[in-house]
Amino acid sequence: MASQSSTSTDWPGRYYHIDQVLNTPGPRTDEAFLAGDGVKDFLRNQAKILVIGAGGLGCEILANLALTGFKDIHVIDMDTIDISNLNRQFLFRPKDVGQPKATVAAEFIMKRVPGVKVTPYFGKIQDKDDDYYMQFNLVICGLDSVEARRWMNATLVNLVDPENPESLKPMIDGGTEGFKGQARVILPTVTSCYECSLDMLNKPTAFPICTIANTPRLPEHCIEWASVLEWPRVHGDKKMDTDDPDHIGWLYKVAAARAAEFKIEGVTWSLTQGVVKNIIPAIASTNAIIAAACCNEAFKIATSSAAYLNNYFMLIGTDGVYSYTFEHEKRDDCPVCGGEALEMTLSPETTVEQLIETLVEKQDIQIKKPSLSTPTKQIYLQAPPQLEKSTRPNLEKKVSELVPPGGEVTVTATTLPFSLSLRISYS
């Protein structure tokens, strides 16, 4: 981004190249495309866009949006700047370490691109209500959290009112991992949503609390036990710092001892650090490609100047460079945008604890700390503590003792704003 010496916020030629796209319809423009001043005015004076995440992807997205002509941008991020961010999150400098990412990113963009207003929020997306999200025309997610994506996706689907077309907020989602990345366009209730494609994600790294507490089988179970259960038991309210070598060392020592007790091999220092920090490799160039794809889709949706993505773009750069675009279809049994109960066949011997473990590990479900109930009884509740204690004996019971064939089980989790209906059969 070159420096600007002019005092004008819209210096001559600032949008010259963008205006070449907006002045004249092309062979793939939408019939609703209003070439000329009308579309320029909407883009630069009316469109309000929300960016979720101000990290590796978010920094690229914010810069691209500002330079493309969006002038009313909001950004949410709950993190502060760490020195390890500086190699790829180019809106930050060493002096910014420890400061909120959203605030610093907003200030940087407004300083370098005069006339653009970026409103930051340092906090969680869950802090905001439906009225807050209703004000935006578009939402772009540049997150490294599956849970946050699922929450945002479900929130936007729940906002849709068939009687109010303005309630449909397109969501553009981008994600990267090393040399791989994806960008997608989600039209809530119209196209497949984020929840529909959970089975495409890597195997989840979350483990059911009952497994890590009672029957660990993997080195990761022992590490989770040390961090989730033993740390608060030994250290009380003292917060764990995953960047502190002493803290990681304590976890490694405790996890290794538990692994030895259960004859489990594979607990190492690096694995301990990887599990507790949930490290996802990031490369600046991949972030730039995926952010560019997301912002191009935002521009196309906002202006109708070209057909937007339908609906999934995948980039694979691990062996050469390969990209693929396809339409991911909706799932009828999607708990967010589907409506039908998910059919699940269990053995008559399956226990409640085993069912919970399945729900956590199954690719198309992936619910951390699920609570189970039927219309007539509470099977197992993760919280509050008194209800968890009273329902804990059910963990050892067979599901077939509690749920008849064809019966439905409602699955909920505090981290997700929706419930999942399971229709149980036995074989």
Side-chain angles (χ1 to χ4, degrees):
M1 290 182 285
S3 299
Q4 173 55 32
S5 57
S6 171
T7 57
S8 170
T9 58
D10 281 338
W11 56 89
R14 176 175 181 177
Y15 298 116
Y16 174 79
H17 294 283
I18 294 172
D19 287 347
Q20 304 310 298
V21 176
L22 299 180
N23 282 335
T24 308
R28 300 193 68 215
T29 53
D30 190 283
E31 293 180 1
F33 179 51
L34 302 174
D37 292 339
V39 69
K40 295 176 191 175
D41 179 68
F42 176 79
L43 177 67
R44 294 161 193 169
N45 299 314
Q46 300 178 49
K48 184 179 290 190
I49 190 164
L50 173 64
V51 177
I52 302 177
L57 273 175
C59 285
E60 297 276 359
I61 289 169
L62 289 168
N64 289 347
L65 292 176
L67 294 172
T68 304
F70 289 94
K71 289 190 173 181
D72 190 355
I73 305 169
H74 292 239
V75 58
I76 294 178
D77 196 293
M78 62 179 288
D79 289 336
T80 55
I81 299 164
D82 185 82
I83 193 169
S84 64
N85 301 145
L86 301 182
N87 71 329
R88 65 196 181 282
Q89 298 176 21
F90 62 93
L91 302 183
F92 310 138
R93 300 293 181 267
K95 65 180 177 61
D96 301 321
V97 170
Q99 299 300 309
K101 288 184 177 181
T103 304
V104 175
E107 292 173 352
F108 191 105
I109 293 293
M110 289 190 289
K111 181 179 179 180
R112 296 295 293 272
V113 190
V116 174
K117 180 183 179 183
V118 184
T119 304
Y121 176 68
F122 173 44
K124 299 179 180 180
I125 53 176
Q126 293 87 347
D127 296 341
K128 300 298 187 179
D129 59 15
D130 288 354
D131 289 339
Y132 174 82
Y133 292 109
M134 278 292 290
Q135 69 181 302
F136 299 106
N137 300 101
L138 280 167
V139 176
I140 303 184
C141 292
L143 292 159
D144 58 4
S145 164
V146 171
E147 278 192 9
R149 284 188 176 98
R150 294 174 73 180
W151 191 94
M152 195 68 249
N153 172 73
T155 297
L156 294 182
V157 170
N158 292 337
L159 279 184
V160 176
D161 177 0
E163 303 298 321
N164 177 17
E166 296 297 319
S167 65
L168 193 154
K169 311 295 179 182
M171 171 174 151
I172 302 168
D173 178 65
T176 66
E177 182 178 347
F179 291 103
K180 298 183 292 184
Q182 53 84 20
R184 62 186 302 184
V185 171
I186 295 170
L187 303 181
T189 72
V190 177
T191 66
S192 67
C193 73
Y194 186 81
E195 198 74 17
C196 290
S197 60
L198 281 187
D199 57 349
M200 295 182 64
L201 302 179
N202 291 333
K203 188 174 178 63
T205 55
F207 306 105
I209 196 74
C210 43
T211 297
I212 66 175
N214 302 317
T215 55
R217 301 185 308 277
L218 302 172
E220 290 86 351
H221 292 164
C222 300
I223 297 167
E224 284 279 291
W225 174 85
S227 62
V228 174
L229 298 178
E230 278 299 282
W231 178 275
R233 187 185 70 81
V234 174
H235 298 281
D237 294 332
K238 181 179 179 180
K239 185 177 180 181
M240 182 194 305
D241 182 356
T242 56
D243 292 317
D244 188 327
D246 291 336
H247 291 194
I248 296 296
W250 186 92
L251 292 174
Y252 166 62
K253 180 180 177 181
V254 172
R258 182 167 176 82
E261 178 186 349
F262 284 87
K263 296 180 173 56
I264 297 171
E265 298 180 353
V267 174
T268 64
W269 175 283
S270 60
L271 181 63
T272 302
Q273 191 175 47
V275 169
V276 298
K277 295 188 71 170
N278 192 26
I279 295 172
I280 300 174
I283 297 174
S285 52
T286 308
N287 286 341
I289 294 169
I290 297 303
C294 290
C295 292
N296 277 349
E297 296 312 312
F299 181 81
K300 289 189 285 185
I301 292 173
T303 64
S304 299
S305 56
Y308 53 79
L309 179 67
N310 181 31
N311 50 33
Y312 203 112
F313 165 74
M314 182 181 296
L315 173 72
I316 302 175
T318 50
D319 186 11
V321 179
Y322 171 75
S323 65
Y324 179 57
T325 301
F326 65 97
E327 180 180 359
H328 192 285
E329 297 184 357
K330 293 180 69 174
R331 279 174 45 201
D332 292 336
D333 59 5
C334 173
V336 174
C337 71
E340 296 183 9
L342 180 65
E343 303 284 346
M344 181 166 281
T345 302
L346 305 175
S347 163
E349 303 301 312
T350 300
T351 65
V352 172
E353 183 175 2
Q354 290 170 333
L355 173 58
I356 290 174
E357 185 171 338
T358 298
L359 294 174
V360 172
E361 296 183 350
K362 200 169 187 297
Q363 283 290 91
D364 58 351
I365 298 178
Q366 297 188 34
I367 295 184
K368 293 182 179 179
K369 297 184 179 181
S371 293
L372 312 180
S373 63
T374 70
T376 59
K377 64 171 73 76
Q378 296 169 338
I379 298 177
Y380 178 69
L381 301 182
Q382 299 274 357
Q386 60 270 28
L387 288 180
E388 191 281 331
K389 183 177 180 180
S390 66
T391 57
R392 192 182 305 162
N394 286 339
L395 290 174
E396 298 179 359
K397 294 183 179 179
K398 299 174 183 177
V399 178
S400 56
E401 297 174 11
L402 304 170
V403 183
E408 290 199 5
V409 173
T410 300
V411 183
T412 58
T414 56
T415 56
L416 299 173
F418 62 87
S419 60
L420 170 67
S421 293
L422 303 177
R423 184 174 292 112
I424 304 296
S425 58
Y426 303 100
S427 66

